[in-house]
Amino acid sequence: LENLALIPGCAGSSPIQNIGAYGIELKHVCEYVDCIELATGNAQRLTAEQCRFGYRDSIFKHEYQDRYVIVAVGLRLAKQWKPILTYGDLVRLDPATVTPREVFDSVCHMRMTKLPDPKVNGNAGSFFKNPVISSETASELLAGWPTAPHYPQPDGSVKLAAGWLIDQCELKGTTVGGAAVHRQQALVLINQNNATSDDVVQLAHHVRQRVGEKFNVWLEPEVRFIGRTGEVNAVEAIA
């Protein structure tokens, strides 16, 4: 769990998004989720498999979105601890001697130095998902940008680092109205100066277009968009 240090939010909301950071997702440690059907008050326990966890996705963003409330999350941790040191500054740690506390401290340091404080600049953390592309598309991209961070997935696809793609388009500090791309972490959009929702949407559209035109990789928001009458399709909103 130390890789998930400092992710803001409540434990009960963690299954909805299948939260993740630095090589770990909730699905790796989740045993079950208890929820209650709002219409009947009936309690139900879903196994991790029944939660249909995906990349920043779960059944709670689909069939169960408006019908159930999560009341408990069951976690199972391995008795034999094995560090996950595949992302960011964690790769510098020695897997033979590192302790959970050292991993925790390193994750906290990365988040505090690279991510904006929401108390200072309003933000929703990572705005875009890390895109997952086919191995063929990845080979073409890496031929042109061999240093691009990439992470092969079990199904043969390849995950890219959205922040790196945005950074290569030299978009850090770009503003639309009061919204801006964070100067330390390009993956984060911030409310720099009384930004409106339209400012954020237009900035997200600009970032998506620039990355798409340069890499032929089209970013999708990780955050959810709530309109006047409820949730709207985030991809369509910035397309």
Side-chain angles (χ1 to χ4, degrees):
L1 294 178
E2 55 277 355
N3 294 55
L4 305 180
L6 291 189
I7 294 180
C10 300
S13 62
S14 62
I16 300 173
Q17 189 83 340
N18 181 28
I19 63 169
Y22 303 111
I24 289 289
E25 292 183 325
L26 181 79
K27 69 178 182 180
H28 296 134
V29 294
C30 182
E31 182 78 2
Y32 63 82
V33 176
D34 287 342
C35 53
I36 293 176
E37 187 174 23
L38 294 172
T40 64
N42 293 334
Q44 182 178 354
R45 172 166 290 185
L46 299 182
T47 65
E49 183 178 5
Q50 290 172 322
C51 290
R52 298 212 312 265
F53 289 128
Y55 179 47
R56 302 299 175 266
D57 199 26
S58 74
I59 195 173
F60 303 105
K61 293 179 75 172
H62 301 283
E63 296 98 310
Y64 278 37
Q65 178 172 325
D66 300 316
R67 297 166 49 205
Y68 291 83
V69 59
I70 294 170
V71 294
V73 179
L75 305 178
R76 179 185 291 270
L77 305 180
K79 290 184 178 180
Q80 187 64 42
W81 179 73
K82 293 182 180 179
I84 305 297
L85 307 174
T86 53
Y87 281 76
D89 295 345
L90 298 180
V91 299
R92 303 174 186 171
L93 301 176
D94 184 351
T97 60
V98 70
T99 66
R101 166 60 67 176
E102 288 171 337
V103 175
F104 174 85
D105 288 343
S106 181
V107 169
C108 290
H109 177 75
M110 283 189 288
R111 295 189 72 93
M112 289 188 292
T113 56
K114 297 180 180 180
L115 297 175
D117 185 345
K119 295 177 182 178
V120 178
N121 291 116
N123 71 91
S126 299
F127 195 91
F128 297 99
K129 296 178 182 179
N130 288 323
V132 179
I133 60 178
S134 68
S135 58
E136 294 79 11
T137 302
S139 296
E140 295 174 6
L141 187 146
L142 291 170
W145 291 274
T147 61
H150 59 285
Y151 308 93
Q153 303 298 295
D155 62 0
S157 61
V158 178
K159 182 185 290 187
L160 303 176
W164 184 89
L165 298 173
I166 298 169
D167 200 12
Q168 299 310 299
C169 296
E170 300 180 348
L171 291 170
K172 284 181 178 176
T174 298
T175 61
V176 172
V181 179
H182 189 49
R183 291 186 179 276
Q184 277 70 50
Q185 173 50 273
L187 195 53
V188 179
L189 306 187
I190 64 171
N191 181 352
Q192 183 168 273
N193 183 24
N194 296 317
T196 66
S197 56
D198 284 340
D199 292 342
V200 177
V201 170
Q202 290 178 35
L203 179 60
H205 167 79
H206 178 68
V207 171
R208 184 175 190 266
Q209 288 297 124
R210 288 284 299 276
V211 171
E213 291 165 2
K214 187 178 184 70
F215 295 102
N216 196 30
V217 174
W218 298 90
L219 300 179
E220 296 184 3
E222 179 174 313
V223 299
R224 298 164 70 181
F225 285 23
I226 309 300
R228 290 186 177 89
T229 58
E231 187 164 4
V232 299
N233 186 302
V235 176
E236 292 179 359
I238 69 169

